[in-house]
Amino acid sequence: MLRRPVLLVVAHGSRDPRHAATVHDLVRRVRAQRPGLRVETGFLDFNVPSVGAVLESLDAEGVRDVVALPLLLTRAFHAKADIPAVLAEAPPRLRIRQAEVLGPSPLLLAALERRLYEAGLTPADKPSTGVVLASAGSSDPEAIAVIADVAREWQHTGWCAVRPAFASASLPRTEQAVRELRELGCPRVAVAPYVLAPGRLPDRIARGAADADVLADVLGPSPEVARVLLERYDAAWTPSLQALGA
């Protein structure tokens, strides 16, 4: 029987203690959804343990297979450069597969709607509600295009309108998108943070939502996000099984 690789969740890290707390809550939910799967957490910056320290520890234990999963919603600089660079410095005996980032995924749209409903909306409110899909922002054109695509796809599910917004690096800002939806004539405006954990940029999104009617919480440790993590893990692991004829 083949031993499943360890799942290493690679988080960005933050000086804000809410960030690491939310990451650990999400990892606990992943473990609950997949009993028996070993799940570890490493941070790129600010928090411990670092990704490198976790990989060194796994190697010392005799672990040989690891799936490194970026806790990111888009393929921007961290997924394309930072994480591969860290993984390249891992002990050579480790066989590491880097999984795909979490987004886009229908499950993430379901998580966004869950947060909006928890904030007070109902499915009946969709035709009269414009939504700001507020992300952290990126200087990577690919990441920006993905957010725009997610907004277009989400609008097709029945919302009055959905507009992307960014807390940094790109425009429009959250407050600008709120004004645009008002001018468009949406009777109600909601802001849905497309971010995984609290921190400086999510706080900026919240400030930009001051004139909105509804502000949802961050995605956090929602069950849908945990399911996406496991889907990405399985997709990274399955090809190696097929290669071995399993």
Side-chain angles (χ1 to χ4, degrees):
M1 179 179 176
L2 290 173
R3 181 176 297 177
R4 288 179 295 180
V6 171
L7 169 56
L8 171 58
V9 176
V10 180
H12 182 274
S14 171
R15 293 186 178 90
D16 190 322
R18 297 173 298 169
H19 173 89
T22 301
V23 170
H24 291 309
D25 285 344
L26 175 59
V27 168
R28 280 191 286 270
R29 188 176 286 273
V30 171
R31 291 184 181 121
Q33 288 192 11
R34 186 72 63 86
L37 173 63
R38 181 172 177 181
V39 187
E40 300 291 342
T41 308
F43 295 90
L44 291 174
D45 206 353
F46 302 117
N47 303 107
V48 293
S50 68
V51 175
V54 175
L55 292 172
E56 293 281 354
S57 177
L58 291 173
D59 177 64
E61 289 181 32
V63 170
R64 290 295 167 260
D65 292 292
V66 177
V67 169
L69 195 156
L71 197 60
L72 301 167
L73 295 173
T74 59
R75 270 183 50 79
F77 182 79
H78 294 303
K80 295 177 179 179
D82 283 353
I83 293 175
V86 171
L87 299 181
E89 296 177 355
R93 291 177 295 184
L94 288 176
R95 293 182 291 266
I96 304 174
R97 287 178 173 266
Q98 181 175 329
E100 292 296 327
V101 297
L102 303 185
S105 167
L107 285 169
L108 294 177
L109 290 181
L112 286 165
E113 294 206 357
R114 167 195 288 274
R115 293 305 189 216
L116 285 170
Y117 298 152
E118 290 171 349
L121 294 180
T122 71
D125 294 322
K126 293 180 76 168
S128 60
T129 303
V131 179
V132 177
L133 180 70
S135 74
S138 172
S139 59
D140 188 309
E142 178 186 351
I144 297 304
V146 167
I147 299 299
D149 288 344
V150 170
R152 282 191 291 269
E153 179 181 351
W154 201 16
Q155 182 169 329
H156 293 156
T157 67
W159 296 102
C160 173
V162 180
R163 294 291 185 270
F166 308 94
S168 69
S170 306
L171 295 174
R173 295 287 185 259
T174 302
E175 54 269 28
Q176 294 172 309
V178 169
R179 285 197 299 270
E180 181 183 346
L181 290 171
R182 295 280 189 212
E183 293 167 358
L184 192 63
C186 297
R188 184 186 300 103
V189 175
V191 174
Y194 191 53
V195 292
L196 288 166
R200 178 176 57 88
L201 294 180
D203 285 348
R204 186 178 297 172
I205 290 171
R207 290 193 296 272
D211 291 331
D213 301 294
V214 174
L215 171 62
D217 199 357
V218 300
L219 293 172
S222 64
E224 296 88 353
V225 175
R227 284 172 58 194
V228 177
L229 263 73
L230 289 170
E231 285 187 356
R232 298 293 184 259
Y233 169 83
D234 290 339
W237 170 223
T238 300
S240 61
L241 286 177
Q242 293 174 341
L244 291 170

